[in-house]
Amino acid sequence: MNPVILSVYREEWRFWRRSRLAGSALLLMAVMLLVSTAYTVTRGHTEADRRLQLQAQARAAFLEQPARHPHRMIHFGHYAFRAPVPLSALDPGIDPYTGMVIFLEGHRQNSAMFAEAAELASLSRFGSLSPAFVLQVLAPLLLVIMGFGSISREREQGTLIQLQASGVAAASLMAGKALALLAVAGLLLLPLGLAGLMLAAFGKASLLAVLAMLLAYGLYLTIWTLAVVTVSAMLRSSAAALAVLLLVWVLGVIALPKLASTLVHSLQPIPGKLETDLALLTDDTPISDGHDTAGAGVSALVAQILERYGAENVSDLPVNIRGLVSSEAEATATARMNQFAEQRMNAEWQQARRLDQLSFLSPLLAMRRVSMSLAGTDLPHQQRFLEEAEALRFDFVQSLNTLHARELRYADDIRRSADPDAEQRTRVDADFWRLLPEFELTPAAINERLAAAGPMAAALLAWGLLALLLCISGTRRLRP
Amino acid sequence: MIPGSRWLSESRFQLSRPAVRVILLLSIVLSASAVMLGYSEVGAQHATIERLNALDAEARADAWEGREDWGDIAYNGFHYTFDRPSSLAFAAMGQRDILPWQHRVRMLALEGQIHERDPANPELAHLGQFDFALVVCVLLPLLVIVLMSDIKAAERSAGRDALLIATAGSSHLWRDRALVLALLLGLSLLLPFWVGAVLSDTSFTLTALTTLLVVLYLSFWTWLVLRFALSRATAQVTVLRLVGLWFVFAIAVPLLGRMAILGGMPLPEPGEILMLQREEVNAAWDKPKPVTMDAFVDTHPQWREQSGVTRPFEWKWYYAFQQVGDQQAATLAGQYRAGIVARERMTWWLSLISPPLLLHKALTCLARTDLLASMAYEDSVRDFHRAMRHFYYPLLFNDTPFDKGRLQRHPTFEEAESSCVI
C-alpha cells in the first residue's frame, strides 16, 4: 500500500489514542455493542426454547383431551407459536411488533396475539438493543464523532498546507483518513461477525446469510465513512463539519426513516384486520359456520349431497350430513377468508415496497430491509407464519369434520342436545386426536432470503457509489 | 429584562445568519410535517371508527336476522368497541400503532377475545412514527445544541468577544443572545403545533400544558448548552460534550433501562393465560354440569335457585362455563396485566433520569395515547362485557321468552372517560 496513506492512517489512530473523547466514545459504543449482542443471543435462545416448549405443550393438551364430539375439538382449537429464527439474535426485525401466538379454531382466522413491543410499550419507541440497531443507528454517530475533524482539523491547525506542500496528494490524505475510520467500522462489525459465525457453527443459522449481512453492514458503514470524510474536507471549520454531520445523522437515521414510515401509512392506508373481517361479514354472500343444516344457504348443498348418494332423506345417508355440511362450509368460508387475508397481506407488502422506494431518503431504509431479509425477520416471514398457521388450522379442522361425517350417526347427532345417551354415542375415541399435525416454523431458504435482500442491496450499492463520487469530488476540490 | 429594541435588533441579527436560518427553517418543516401527518392520522382513525360503527350495526342485524333465542342472539352478537383518539393525539401518537384501540367482542369468555390484536403493518411500526412529540423530545435538543453551542466560541475565535462585550455594555450578552435563539426556535416548533391544536379543537388547557412542557424542556436544554458553551472549551468540544449528554439521556438510558426491565421484571407467560382459559372452558363439556354451575353460583348467588341443568345442552350452562373460564384465568390474566402496569410505572421512574423520555411520557399521557390509556380502554371493554352478562343472565336463567323489543335495552358500549393520572 501507498506508504503515505499508511502513515496518514497511523497518524489518525495516534490522534484518537491521545484524545480522551474519541477513546470514551469508542469504548461506550463497544460496550453497547457487546452487551446488545450478548443480550439478544441469549434472549433469542431462551425465547426460542420457550416457544417450542409451549408449542409442544399445546399439542400435548390437544392429544390428552377425552373422548368427545369431533366438533367440540374444532372449538377446543389449537395454538401456533412463532419461535424466533436463529438470526433474529442479530436483527430481530419486525418480530417485536408482531404477535407470537395464534389461536386456531373452526370458522375463524384469529390474529396473532401478544407482541413484545406491547409489553413495554413506552420504551419500545426509543430503539431496541440489538446489534442491528446499534450498527444501523448508533455506529454512524460514532463515525461522525471520530471523523468530523479528520480533514478540517488539519486545515485549522495549518498542517493541511504543510502536507500539501510536502507533496502529499489529496487523494492519499483522504484515503488514509477514510481507512482509519473504516478500521473503526471494522471493529464495530466484529461482535456481529463473531456472534454470526457462532450461530452458524453451533446453531441453525446460515453461514451465507451471516457473510452477506457482514458485507452489507460493511458497505453501509463505508457510506457513512465516506460522507464523514467528505464533509470534513469540504467545510471550513471542524465545528461546522460537526454541526452539519450531526444534522445529517439525526435526519438520516431518526427523522427521515420515521417520516417515511408515517408518510406511507398516511398516503397508502390499508384497512385493519377488524375492518377486513367486518367487510367479509357484511359482504353479499355471508359466510356460514355450518352449525345449522336447515339454514337458507345450506339446502342446496344438502340436495346436492342427497343426489350424490342417491338418497331420499338425510337420515338414509351412509354418512352424517352434519359433518359434510360443516366440512363444506369450512372450505367455502376458508376460501373467502383466505382471499381477504391475501389481499391484506398484499397491501401490507405494497406498503413495505413503497417504503423501499423511499430509501433514497436515507441509506438506513435500504440497510434495514437487507438486514431483515437476510436474518429472516421481515414481513414475508411473518406472513408465512400466518399462512402456515392457517394451513395447520384448516388441516385439523377438516380432519375433524371428516371424522364427524364418518364416525357419528346422524340420528344421534341431531338428538344429542336433548338426549344424554345419544350425546354419549356422539363422542369419538380420544385416539383420533392424534390427527393434529406438528407445527414448526422454519425461516425461508437462504436463496429466497438473498433474493429478497437483492433490490435493496442494489440501492445500498447506489448509495455507496454516490458517496464515493461525492468523496472524489471533495478530494479534487480540497484546498488548505 | 431585555429592552424591546434589543430583542428586535438581536433577532434581526440572528435571522441574518445563514446557519440560523437553515436550522429554523428545518425546525418549521419538521414540526409542520409532524403535525400534518398526525392530524391526518387522527382524522383517519376517526373515520375508521365511524365506518366500523356502521358496518358493525349492519353485520349484527344480519347475524340476528331470524334468531329467536336469547342464547343464540348472544352467541352471534358481536359488538364493536373502540377508543377514539383524543384532541391532542395528533401531537403525540404514542403507542396506538402497537396497542389495540378497537375490538369486536361477544358474550363468550372475554379472555379469549381481549388479547386479539388489530395492529398497524409491523413493517411501519418497526420504524416508528414521526410525530410532534418525537420532534420535540428527540430532535429539539440537537437543534438547540447545533444552534447555540458556538455562541461564544465563534465570536472568541473571531476575536470579537471582548469588543462585543465592551460595546454592548452588558455581561448578559450571551444569555440574551441565547434567549433570542431559544425564542425563535421555540416559535418555529410551536407555531405548527398551535395551528394543529386549533384545527383539532384541542382544549385551551391541553394546548397550554403542552406549550408549557415544551417551553420548560427548551429552557432546560438552553440552560445546559449555555453552561457548557460559556466555558473556555472550543465549540466542537462543547458540542461533543452536549451530544454525549443527549446520547445518554435519549438513547443509552431508555435502551439499557428497557433491557433491565425486560430482564428484571418478567411477565407471566401470556400463552398460558390463553391455554388455561381455553382448557377451563372446554373441560366443562365433559364435567358434570353441577361442578360448573356451583362454580358459577359462587360468584353469582342470585341464580342459585335457577342453576339446575337437565338437558345435555342449555345456553345458561354454556354461558356459565364461559364465565367460569374467565374466573379461572382471572388470576393469571391479572398478574400479566399487573406486570405490564408495574413495568410502565418503572419507566416513569426511569424517565426521571432521562428528560426526553420524561417529556415523551408526559405528552403521550396528556394525549391519552399511552399504555395507561390503552388499559383504560381495555377496562371499558370489560365493563361493557360485564353489562352484557348482566343483561343476558336474567333472560337465560329465568327462561324469559324471546321478545325483540327487549333488544332495545341491550347495553351499548360506552367510551372510556379517562384523564392523565400517573
Side-chain angles (χ1 to χ4, degrees):
Chain A
M1 192 195 283
N2 183 336
V4 179
I5 297 181
L6 207 63
S7 81
V8 171
Y9 170 88
R10 286 213 194 96
E11 206 45 53
E12 194 68 5
W13 272 96
R14 195 165 302 144
F15 170 78
W16 285 333
R17 269 198 295 276
R18 285 198 311 262
S19 152
R20 241 184 44 216
L21 226 142
S24 39
L26 188 57
L27 189 72
L28 181 65
M29 199 61 67
V31 168
M32 293 204 73
L33 250 177
L34 289 174
V35 168
S36 70
T37 312
Y39 174 75
T40 50
V41 168
T42 48
R43 193 177 155 80
H45 193 72
T46 46
E47 208 44 26
D49 277 355
R50 205 170 57 121
R51 296 204 196 151
L52 288 176
Q53 191 195 333
L54 282 167
Q55 187 69 66
Q57 198 181 322
R59 186 161 190 274
F62 193 96
L63 299 192
E64 276 165 19
Q65 290 307 302
R68 276 215 181 117
H69 190 288
H71 201 81
R72 288 274 61 77
M73 291 308 282
I74 288 180
H75 286 283
F76 181 74
H78 185 40
Y79 293 91
F81 287 86
R82 178 176 52 74
V85 299
L87 283 181
S88 69
L90 302 184
D91 186 354
I94 65 168
D95 272 12
Y97 299 93
T98 58
M100 60 115 171
V101 54
I102 306 184
F103 179 47
L104 311 171
E105 60 180 326
H107 334 314
R108 287 169 70 83
Q109 290 183 349
N110 293 313
S111 62
M113 294 178 274
F114 300 108
E116 192 194 292
E119 294 181 337
L120 186 50
S122 55
L123 289 184
S124 54
R125 276 294 112 88
F126 284 79
S128 66
L129 203 66
S130 69
F133 178 78
V134 175
L135 287 174
Q136 287 171 23
V137 175
L138 307 186
L141 179 62
L142 182 70
L143 294 177
V144 165
I145 284 172
M146 295 191 72
F148 74 93
S150 53
I151 306 286
S152 56
R153 187 180 70 238
E154 306 277 3
R155 182 182 290 124
E156 281 170 339
Q157 293 169 348
T159 40
L160 185 59
I161 204 162
Q162 287 173 16
L163 284 168
Q164 293 201 318
S166 61
V168 172
S172 306
L173 184 66
M174 295 283 277
K177 298 285 189 183
L179 229 54
L181 266 188
L182 276 181
V184 175
L187 277 181
L188 296 179
L189 286 177
L190 265 182
L192 181 85
L194 286 179
L197 292 181
M198 231 175 62
L199 289 169
F202 304 111
K204 287 180 191 154
S206 142
L207 183 63
L208 201 55
V210 172
L211 294 179
M213 242 171 151
L214 276 174
L215 210 62
Y217 277 107
L219 178 58
Y220 176 70
L221 294 181
T222 307
I223 294 168
W224 279 99
T225 298
L226 292 175
V228 168
V229 178
T230 309
V231 170
S232 180
M234 302 210 335
L235 287 184
R236 203 166 24 87
S237 69
S238 295
L242 180 57
V244 167
L245 284 169
L246 277 176
L247 287 181
V248 168
W249 173 77
V250 78
L251 289 177
V253 306
I254 297 181
L256 290 177
K258 287 182 194 288
L259 183 70
S261 155
T262 308
L263 211 56
V264 169
H265 181 77
S266 168
L267 295 182
Q268 196 175 311
I270 54 176
K273 182 176 186 300
L274 204 60
E275 186 158 12
T276 317
D277 289 353
L278 266 172
L280 183 63
L281 283 173
T282 48
D283 205 59
D284 291 340
T285 43
I287 58 168
S288 148
D289 58 11
H291 284 183
D292 201 351
T293 42
V298 187
S299 50
L301 175 64
V302 174
Q304 214 177 55
I305 293 170
L306 286 177
E307 198 182 303
R308 198 189 308 159
Y309 284 92
E312 287 276 302
N313 223 309
V314 286
S315 49
D316 303 335
L317 287 171
V319 287
N320 184 344
I321 183 85
R322 289 190 149 202
L324 288 185
V325 167
S326 262
S327 175
E328 207 65 39
E330 192 69 42
T332 318
T334 301
R336 302 256 298 123
M337 289 191 289
N338 282 346
Q339 189 191 337
F340 276 71
E342 224 166 86
Q343 270 171 19
R344 195 177 139 68
M345 286 188 197
N346 223 334
E348 281 186 343
W349 181 237
Q350 289 309 322
Q351 282 190 330
R353 291 291 301 278
R354 183 60 47 133
L355 213 48
D356 284 352
Q357 286 164 9
L358 290 176
S359 62
F360 66 87
L361 287 175
S362 160
L364 179 125
L365 287 170
M367 182 65 240
R368 180 188 89 108
R369 160 82 49 225
V370 172
S371 178
M372 288 194 312
S373 300
L374 290 173
T377 51
D378 52 355
L379 188 65
H381 179 70
Q382 169 65 13
Q383 296 190 336
R384 218 154 43 87
F385 168 57
L386 298 178
E387 280 164 0
E388 286 186 17
E390 169 54 26
L392 169 66
R393 182 194 80 82
F394 189 63
D395 181 308
F396 85 81
V397 167
Q398 289 304 60
S399 305
L400 288 165
N401 277 330
T402 309
L403 213 56
H404 187 177
R406 294 214 182 119
E407 302 290 326
L408 266 60
R409 283 179 50 218
Y410 177 71
D412 292 334
D413 213 13
I414 51 169
R415 282 208 317 270
R416 73 174 201 272
S417 290
D419 174 357
D421 292 329
E423 200 275 333
Q424 279 302 322
R425 284 195 299 272
T426 58
R427 292 169 178 248
V428 301
D429 197 273
D431 273 346
F432 282 114
W433 307 152
R434 283 176 205 287
L435 58 86
L436 183 74
E438 308 253 2
F439 181 77
E440 192 182 352
L441 182 71
T442 49
I446 180 63
N447 51 348
E448 268 176 61
R449 279 186 274 160
L450 286 172
M456 282 302 106
L460 207 55
L461 216 54
W463 269 101
L465 279 177
L466 181 72
L468 192 63
L469 286 177
L470 283 177
C471 189
I472 290 171
S473 120
T475 309
R476 289 222 177 106
R477 280 190 271 153
L478 187 66
R479 301 281 177 272
Chain B
M1 217 36 230
I2 318 171
S5 59
R6 276 273 303 288
W7 275 104
L8 267 177
S9 62
E10 183 65 33
S11 305
R12 213 171 296 141
F13 167 64
Q14 291 298 347
L15 285 172
S16 70
R17 296 171 58 199
V20 172
R21 292 221 298 247
V22 167
I23 291 171
L24 291 181
L25 187 69
L26 182 67
S27 312
I28 290 192
V29 169
L30 288 174
S31 177
S33 44
V35 166
M36 250 155 58
L37 286 169
Y39 181 73
S40 100
E41 170 61 19
V42 167
Q45 290 185 8
H46 277 299
T48 301
I49 290 172
E50 293 315 314
R51 220 168 35 239
L52 263 57
N53 250 327
L55 276 176
D56 172 67
E58 193 189 327
R60 193 168 44 250
D62 283 356
W64 278 351
E65 182 67 43
R67 294 190 196 275
E68 294 194 333
D69 178 336
W70 288 118
D72 208 19
I73 290 274
Y75 184 86
N76 289 288
F78 283 87
H79 302 264
Y80 179 56
T81 70
F82 52 89
D83 180 24
R84 267 183 226 282
S86 76
S87 61
L88 190 59
F90 77 92
M93 294 196 271
Q95 279 85 43
R96 284 175 75 92
D97 61 336
I98 42 180
L99 298 173
W101 52 269
Q102 47 183 7
H103 280 298
R104 232 175 145 238
V105 293
R106 56 174 163 170
M107 222 186 60
L108 302 195
L110 188 60
E111 290 303 328
Q113 307 176 67
I114 196 91
H115 305 290
E116 287 285 320
R117 282 162 51 78
D118 184 14
N121 187 346
E123 272 279 336
L124 303 184
H126 173 250
L127 279 174
Q129 289 163 308
F130 186 77
D131 59 0
F132 179 72
L134 174 91
V135 171
V136 171
C137 299
V138 180
L139 306 185
L140 175 145
L142 283 175
L143 293 170
V144 175
I145 292 171
V146 171
L147 200 57
M148 298 185 198
S149 50
D150 70 337
I151 199 166
K152 189 171 175 200
E155 303 294 357
R156 191 170 56 233
S157 58
R160 283 198 306 251
D161 62 337
L163 180 74
L164 269 174
I165 290 178
T167 49
S170 158
S171 56
H172 293 315
L173 177 80
W174 312 119
R175 201 204 56 194
D176 295 353
R177 179 156 287 184
L179 278 180
V180 167
L181 284 173
L183 188 77
L184 291 174
L185 181 66
L187 281 177
S188 343
L189 293 173
L190 281 169
L191 272 176
F193 165 70
W194 289 331
V195 173
V198 169
L199 290 178
S200 308
D201 264 335
T202 315
S203 71
F204 175 77
T205 323
L206 275 180
T207 314
L209 263 175
T210 308
T211 306
L212 181 69
L213 287 173
V214 173
V215 168
L216 281 176
Y217 190 66
L218 177 62
S219 311
F220 167 72
W221 281 99
T222 308
W223 170 76
L224 210 59
V225 171
L226 271 185
R227 272 198 64 128
F228 283 77
L230 295 186
S231 71
R232 297 296 305 173
T234 60
Q236 46 187 326
V237 170
T238 304
V239 172
L240 288 174
R241 284 179 182 161
L242 286 163
V243 168
L245 212 55
W246 173 85
F247 182 86
V248 169
F249 283 157
I251 296 191
V253 169
L255 273 192
L256 297 174
R258 174 184 157 115
M259 195 173 68
I261 290 176
L262 285 179
M265 304 179 76
L267 295 175
E269 173 55 53
E272 306 258 8
I273 302 176
L274 298 178
M275 290 208 256
L276 179 68
Q277 179 269 134
R278 174 202 49 176
E279 253 124 79
E280 276 306 321
V281 166
N282 281 278
W285 290 97
D286 307 300
K287 281 183 193 162
K289 305 266 183 315
V291 175
T292 302
M293 296 317 282
D294 286 350
F296 177 80
V297 162
D298 280 347
T299 52
H300 297 73
Q302 65 270 40
W303 303 117
R304 188 177 302 277
E305 301 302 314
Q306 291 95 324
S307 67
V309 178
T310 48
R311 281 171 295 152
F313 183 89
E314 283 182 38
W315 280 113
K316 67 180 179 193
W317 163 73
Y318 180 81
Y319 290 111
F321 73 64
Q322 300 287 335
Q323 167 95 45
V324 172
D326 272 348
Q327 283 167 203
Q328 296 290 339
T331 315
L332 200 55
Q335 281 169 0
Y336 180 72
R337 191 184 145 122
I340 289 185
V341 172
R343 282 177 168 192
E344 177 66 16
R345 288 240 170 75
M346 190 53 85
T347 64
W348 277 105
W349 287 110
L350 187 71
S351 70
L352 293 182
I353 52 167
S354 162
L357 185 57
L358 182 61
L359 180 63
H360 195 264
K361 292 187 69 68
L363 290 179
T364 50
C365 188
L366 284 178
R368 308 308 296 141
T369 51
D370 62 346
L371 182 91
L372 296 176
S374 171
M375 292 285 175
Y377 162 62
E378 190 187 305
D379 284 340
S380 70
V381 179
R382 289 182 186 276
D383 287 345
F384 170 64
H385 195 264
R386 202 171 300 122
M388 255 197 315
R389 282 176 163 162
H390 281 307
F391 173 75
Y392 283 111
Y393 285 161
L395 303 174
L396 296 168
F397 280 83
N398 293 332
D399 265 331
T400 314
F402 180 73
D403 163 18
K404 207 165 184 176
R406 277 193 91 143
L407 273 179
Q408 301 296 327
R409 276 184 267 160
H410 195 289
T412 48
F413 171 69
E414 276 169 44
E415 292 170 57
E417 286 287 337
S418 66
S419 54
C420 174
V421 182
I422 303 160

